[in-house]
């Protein structure tokens, strides 16, 4: 009886899987794919990046605060991943196709990280992509200096193209590094 009690003391709980810091989709589901005009001159699809972790964000290049902050955070995270950075792709889908053409997006994104890809297209095509992800975007103001209010979360898509998590705006690079590392582990 003493031996049985001692044996129970050494029984361990199975190791708990590491938790993502972003809000996880449980169970994960296939991320809605799209085909948009890329800032690199080619078609941007999620299928193109199978085998990589995709960090998908929506924004616009004339954004004063949220978009540049997000892109700087993602650039910092990607830079901190070292050799694993090649297994991560950031895709920035514009919510402002009137001002964000492919050439302008390429120049804007290169200021953060040369590997970042911008995506644009006709307003109705972009609206369909936003709807697939539950992203909102609304023009605010008139004249050439209008703003766009939009969803600012970042979607984390694994190497198999499954939507795994959504990171709200405001998380720092260490949270992205943590979650990307988990996704790269499989």
């Amino acid at each position: 009886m003493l031996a049985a009690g001692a044996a129970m003391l050494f029984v361990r709980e199975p190791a708990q899987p590491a938790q993502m810091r972003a809000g996880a989709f449980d169970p994960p589901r296939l991320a809605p794919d799209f085909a948009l005009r890329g800032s690199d001159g080619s078609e941007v699809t999620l299928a193109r990046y199978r085998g990589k972790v995709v960090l998908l964000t929506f924004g616009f290049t004339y954004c004063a605060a949220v978009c540049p902050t997000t892109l700087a955070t993602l650039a910092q995270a990607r830079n901190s991943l070292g050799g694993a950075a090649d297994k991560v792709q950031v895709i920035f889908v514009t919510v402002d196709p009137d001002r964000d053409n492919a050439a302008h997006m390429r120049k804007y994104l290169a200021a953060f990280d040369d590997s970042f890809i911008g995506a644009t297209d006709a307003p109705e095509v972009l609206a369909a992509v936003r709807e697939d992800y539950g992203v909102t975007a609304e023009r605010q103001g008139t004249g050439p200096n209008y703003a766009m209010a939009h969803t600012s979360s970042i979607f984390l898509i694994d190497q198999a193209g499954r939507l795994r998590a959504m990171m709200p705006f405001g998380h720092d690079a260490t949270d992205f590094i943590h979650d990307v590392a988990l996704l790269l582990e499989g």
Side-chain angles (χ1 to χ4, degrees):
M1 185 166 176
L2 186 58
M8 290 186 67
L9 290 175
F10 295 105
V11 174
R12 293 186 160 184
E13 293 287 324
Q16 295 294 318
Q19 296 290 316
M20 295 190 74
R21 294 180 181 166
F25 291 98
D26 188 19
R29 62 181 169 92
L30 196 60
D33 207 348
F34 47 78
L36 301 172
R37 292 192 314 262
S39 60
D40 63 350
S42 65
E43 184 178 71
V44 174
T45 66
L46 286 179
R48 175 179 165 186
Y49 297 107
R50 285 283 158 77
K52 290 187 173 190
V53 170
V54 172
L55 303 176
L56 176 68
T57 185
F58 294 79
F60 63 111
T61 63
Y62 289 83
C63 180
V66 172
C67 302
T69 299
T70 297
L71 292 168
T73 300
L74 297 178
Q76 181 183 3
R78 193 172 177 284
N79 188 47
S80 297
L81 289 168
D86 289 341
K87 297 177 182 172
V88 178
Q89 181 62 54
V90 172
I91 301 175
F92 180 81
V93 178
T94 186
V95 297
D96 184 15
D98 291 340
R99 294 185 291 190
D100 288 345
N101 63 41
H104 179 70
M105 293 180 78
R106 180 176 47 251
K107 183 176 178 182
Y108 176 78
L109 293 170
F112 297 96
D113 187 310
D114 285 339
S115 74
F116 288 6
I117 296 291
T120 189
D121 215 301
E124 62 275 9
V125 174
L126 292 168
V129 174
R130 288 195 307 270
E131 184 176 336
D132 285 346
Y133 283 89
V135 169
T136 62
E138 181 179 339
R139 184 176 172 151
Q140 294 186 325
T142 58
N145 296 323
Y146 65 89
M148 297 294 295
H150 63 89
T151 302
S152 57
S153 296
I154 297 92
F155 296 91
L156 287 76
I157 300 167
D158 69 17
Q159 295 166 304
R162 294 177 302 172
L163 190 55
R164 297 292 300 272
M166 184 170 65
M167 186 83 77
F169 174 74
H171 284 257
D172 63 24
T174 59
D175 290 340
F176 286 97
I177 295 165
H178 175 271
D179 285 1
V180 166
L182 289 177
L183 293 178
L184 289 174
E185 288 173 4

